[in-house]
Amino acid sequence: IAGAIATTGTYPLDLMRTRLASNSEGGGKVVVREVTNVLRKDGVKGFYKGLGASLAGIVPCIAIQLSTYEASKTAYLNVLHGRRGDDERSGEGEKIGLAASTVLGAFAGGFSKLVTLPLDLCKKRMQMDMARGPIFKTLYTVARKEGVLALWRGAVPAIFKTVPATAITFGVYELVKQLDVVSSL
């Protein structure tokens, strides 16, 4: 829920970032022109073009990321302690090192981004007025006209951006848990 609220609140900035990144001109006049164009063409709701695709992507992305991290952490702890898969001990509450948490976090982030990247592509196309209508119609049209692999266009830079960010996030998360910083506040 927090991710959805944050995405909605900052979405106009994401829309403008995408539109400005595709513009070869620079400077403040371009920003004013783009804002004016959006308002003139679609009104305030124009700043939320592609929000549905973004929310449809962020919610499963975070869910996949967290569940992948927790599942891989449990598997890692089971291997580390020589437990079999049917062992009832889950590893909950066990400490995991900084190196392991960053590697597992990187894996979780990369995997979740790869799975949800087609929704990100859909969002960007909607932001650029390259697509209109329902999310699944856009995905179907891209796959039919450009091939299924086109849904993962931009995967390499997207994963290169996500992997270090989630590695750091989960590394810091485990470190803070171990230092018990929150309960001392």
Side-chain angles (χ1 to χ4, degrees):
I1 294 174
I5 292 169
T7 298
T8 302
T10 60
Y11 195 78
L13 298 172
D14 189 41
L15 176 101
M16 293 312 298
R17 178 185 60 130
T18 299
R19 292 179 73 109
L20 293 172
S22 69
N23 197 317
S24 61
E25 299 174 45
K29 289 181 182 180
V30 176
V31 174
V32 172
R33 186 179 68 222
E34 285 297 323
V35 168
T36 304
N37 287 342
V38 170
L39 286 171
R40 188 176 297 130
K41 185 173 181 194
D42 295 310
V44 173
K45 71 177 186 174
F47 288 104
Y48 293 91
K49 265 186 200 166
L51 177 62
S54 186
L55 292 174
I58 196 72
V59 171
C61 186
I62 291 172
I64 292 167
Q65 195 176 90
L66 291 172
S67 59
T68 300
Y69 177 76
E70 288 300 327
S72 58
K73 177 181 163 183
T74 299
Y76 168 77
L77 288 168
N78 285 343
V79 168
L80 186 68
H81 298 297
R83 294 190 294 245
R84 294 193 336 252
D86 59 352
D87 193 324
E88 293 193 15
R89 293 171 287 179
S90 68
E92 192 172 316
E94 289 185 72
K95 292 183 178 182
I96 183 171
L98 182 61
S101 63
T102 54
V103 168
L104 297 175
F107 170 72
F111 178 70
S112 66
K113 180 52 86 174
L114 188 63
V115 170
T116 59
L117 195 64
L119 294 168
D120 194 49
L121 175 111
C122 184
K123 172 193 82 165
K124 289 201 181 337
R125 297 255 175 131
M126 289 175 169
Q127 287 178 330
M128 296 301 302
D129 285 329
M130 296 170 65
R132 285 197 177 272
I135 297 164
F136 292 108
K137 180 182 175 193
T138 300
L139 295 171
Y140 174 77
T141 301
V142 169
R144 188 173 49 80
K145 289 184 177 179
E146 301 171 43
V148 173
L149 290 179
L151 295 171
W152 283 272
R153 193 169 286 139
V156 172
I159 290 171
F160 278 172
K161 177 186 173 223
T162 300
V163 165
T166 54
I168 292 166
T169 298
F170 284 105
V172 170
Y173 167 73
E174 291 293 343
L175 187 62
V176 168
K177 269 181 29 180
Q178 291 173 19
L179 295 174
D180 204 19
V181 171
V182 176
S183 67
S184 66
L185 294 177

